[in-house]
Amino acid sequence: MENKISQLRQEHGLTQQMLAERLSVSRQTIISLETGRYNPSIRLAWQISHLFGKTIEDVFIFQEDEKK
Amino acid sequence: MENKISQLRQEHGLTQQMLAERLSVSRQTIISLETGRYNPSIRLAWQISHLFGKTIEDVFIFQEDEKK
DNA sequence: ATAAAATGTCAAGCTGGCTTTACATATTGA
DNA sequence: TCAATATGTAAAGCCAGCTTGACATTTTAT
């Protein structure tokens, strides 16, 4: 799974810290998401996508053969 | 957050057990999802939605004011 | 050049998503 | 009616998502 968080964040002129605050998560969570280290909850994925006016599928990109 | 898993599962003629097996999760996980007890990972949400040929937003419905 | 801001890594800990097992209560069908 | 199948609850445990804090490196701006 890839995601466009870093790109969207920069397009919106936000730092990792600012994005973390808007989402009420830690900055480490943003770093880990941007560097693809995990598989967030759907609620967090929705909050991020929604903040940028996108759908979850716009922001998070899954591979066809993707398993757990 | 609501979801349409129970409805979609029944439309596709699947039992909870069968759906659990197709997704490689436990039946308890399906029950907990259907009864709204948790906030799955985005990967599981995607696997479920994709199995039914839907987008995540088709299956999981968020409220505008939804917080963590 | 140099200070400040932004990004990143590491590590320890908490929490809740998810598993497993066991049992109880519908629901279906012969 | 009786058994089989489907759904639900409860409880204990594991693990990865997420937090916190401290520090290192890179980027930006003066």
Side-chain angles (χ1 to χ4, degrees):
Chain A
M1 183 185 65
E2 300 170 41
N3 70 68
K4 299 187 175 169
I5 296 173
S6 177
Q7 176 190 331
L8 285 164
R9 175 175 63 77
Q10 288 170 350
E11 286 172 9
H12 287 253
L14 298 174
T15 65
Q16 292 175 335
Q17 182 64 43
M18 289 161 74
L19 178 57
E21 283 167 5
R22 292 219 195 164
L23 295 167
S24 303
V25 297
S26 69
R27 189 171 67 88
Q28 187 57 238
T29 293
I30 302 301
I31 293 172
S32 296
L33 286 169
E34 290 192 358
T35 54
R37 295 221 178 90
Y38 61 89
N39 186 26
S41 67
I42 190 177
R43 176 161 287 137
L44 179 54
W46 180 82
Q47 289 175 328
I48 294 169
S49 307
H50 186 256
L51 179 63
F52 293 131
K54 303 276 187 184
T55 67
I56 292 175
E57 269 100 351
D58 286 337
V59 179
F60 294 86
I61 294 140
F62 298 86
Q63 311 299 329
E64 191 59 30
D65 62 351
E66 196 140 1
K67 297 289 172 198
K68 277 171 92 177
Chain B
M1 183 185 64
E2 299 170 41
N3 71 69
K4 298 186 176 169
I5 296 173
S6 176
Q7 176 191 331
L8 285 164
R9 175 175 63 76
Q10 288 169 347
E11 286 172 8
H12 287 254
L14 297 174
T15 65
Q16 292 176 336
Q17 182 64 45
M18 290 161 73
L19 178 57
E21 284 167 5
R22 292 220 195 163
L23 296 167
S24 302
V25 296
S26 69
R27 188 171 66 89
Q28 188 56 239
T29 293
I30 303 301
I31 293 172
S32 295
L33 286 169
E34 291 192 358
T35 53
R37 294 218 180 92
Y38 60 90
N39 184 26
S41 67
I42 189 177
R43 176 160 288 137
L44 178 54
W46 179 82
Q47 289 174 328
I48 294 169
S49 307
H50 186 255
L51 178 65
F52 293 131
K54 303 276 187 183
T55 68
I56 293 175
E57 268 99 351
D58 286 337
V59 179
F60 294 86
I61 294 142
F62 299 86
Q63 311 298 329
E64 191 59 31
D65 62 352
E66 196 141 0
K67 297 291 172 200
K68 278 171 91 176

